[in-house]
Amino acid sequence: MSTTAYDVEPGDGVRPGDPVVVNRYTVGARINHWITAVSLVLLAISGLAMFHPRLFFLTALFGGGQNTRAIHPWIGVVLFFGFFGLFLRFWRANLWEHTDNVWLARLRDVLGGHEEKLPEVGKYNAGQKVVFWSMSVLIVVLITSGVVIWDQYFFEYTTLGQKQIAVLVHSITAIVAICVWIVHVYAAIWVRGTISAMTRGRVTGGWAWRHHRKWLKELVVGRPKPQ
Ligand code: HEM
């Protein structure tokens, strides 16, 4: 996370009228994010390839059925640790606040683009927080159920009945995680100017003022001290 609000310092040759740019993610956070993102996409493709015979052709991308079966759990390990890194970086900014309930209750205004009717938003809005905490739970369930059915290394540690339950839990959780991921990507594209946060690490001042005003104000003047 960035500690400096602006991308420019006084005396940097910036002229009045130049657009304000605000730092949002460090290089480390972005690399961490994209490793997590790529691993989830690869996991979804390799998982779906083994999920239904009609999707079996997707195993060609991983060098055939046996290779897909061997690689899939390892990509899961990458996703788990990748997301764990994101969790450590962002959990604090995703803590639930009272104003998040108001934001959710006025979802109609959010979708209608009437953000001026909503409370000022910090680094993340309630929708992003729901995605964050859902993903946190889903990924823990995925890795746990995944280990139970990872026969190559853990076959003898669980019974057949436990493995059957784990397969069911793993499949349902994976489908829910893919849906949550679609919501995340859709929101990132729908709110114009958001993608650059994760590609270049920066957003415009206008974007921050419009969508995350409380965060912007805190960057500029600092957090209010507790009484
Ligand atoms: C592959 C497509 C993806 C795209 C295009 C994408 C895009 C983005 C963008 C633009 C942001 C910045 C949002 C902001 O700062 O307001 C972001 C944040 C984030 N993304 Fe992704 N993402 C993708 C996949 C994923 C996946 C697969 C995960 C996790 C499994 C993930 C987890 C996160 C987290 C934790 C944040 C920080 C926001 C928060 O903590 O609420 N992303 N993503």
Side-chain angles (χ1 to χ4, degrees):
M1 242 176 290
S2 161
T3 47
T4 43
Y6 297 111
D7 198 43
V8 291
E9 298 294 334
D12 271 355
V14 178
R15 288 178 303 273
D18 277 354
V20 176
V21 178
V22 187
N23 290 335
R24 193 155 164 89
Y25 294 109
T26 58
V27 176
R30 280 178 278 150
I31 292 173
N32 190 164
H33 175 267
W34 290 119
I35 289 175
T36 312
V38 169
S39 57
L40 188 124
V41 172
L42 293 177
L43 262 184
I45 298 172
S46 54
L48 288 170
M50 296 184 288
F51 184 65
H52 196 278
R54 285 214 175 162
L55 298 170
F56 186 76
F57 71 94
L58 290 169
T59 58
L61 293 170
F62 303 90
Q66 285 309 319
N67 279 341
T68 308
R69 201 175 166 209
I71 294 168
H72 177 83
W74 285 110
I75 309 175
V77 172
V78 175
L79 175 78
F80 176 74
F81 284 107
F83 190 83
F84 188 60
L86 291 180
F87 186 89
L88 293 180
R89 287 172 197 276
F90 302 136
W91 70 270
R92 205 177 281 275
N94 280 285
L95 289 177
W96 202 257
E97 290 172 24
H98 172 67
T99 47
D100 293 320
N101 296 329
V102 181
W103 192 95
L104 273 189
R106 302 214 194 130
L107 205 56
R108 203 179 266 259
D109 286 327
V110 176
L111 298 176
H114 304 300
E115 283 177 77
E116 69 284 355
K117 294 187 185 166
L118 301 161
E120 291 184 355
V121 172
K123 181 150 188 185
Y124 299 119
N125 62 40
Q128 291 174 300
K129 290 180 183 181
V130 169
V131 167
F132 178 85
W133 292 109
S134 314
M135 268 300 184
S136 306
V137 173
L138 290 166
I139 287 174
V140 170
V141 176
L142 277 174
I143 190 95
T144 313
S145 54
V147 165
V148 174
I149 53 179
W150 197 352
D151 287 348
Q152 197 180 350
Y153 300 109
F154 304 105
F155 180 76
E156 67 251 48
Y157 298 102
T158 49
T159 64
L160 190 62
Q162 287 167 334
K163 285 185 216 301
Q164 281 171 338
I165 294 169
V167 170
L168 189 66
V169 170
H170 197 71
S171 314
I172 294 171
T173 314
I175 288 167
V176 178
I178 292 171
C179 295
V180 171
W181 169 71
I182 290 171
V183 170
H184 175 66
V185 175
Y186 183 78
I189 296 168
W190 184 63
V191 181
R192 263 194 279 161
T194 307
I195 294 288
S196 77
M198 263 312 165
T199 49
R200 282 183 269 168
R202 303 157 186 179
V203 288
T204 63
W207 181 95
W209 179 255
R210 180 154 182 216
H211 305 297
H212 299 274
R213 193 167 302 175
K214 194 167 150 225
W215 170 68
L216 180 65
K217 285 181 177 173
E218 283 171 4
L219 277 181
V220 177
V221 296
R223 269 169 196 274
K225 292 215 166 56
Q227 296 296 312

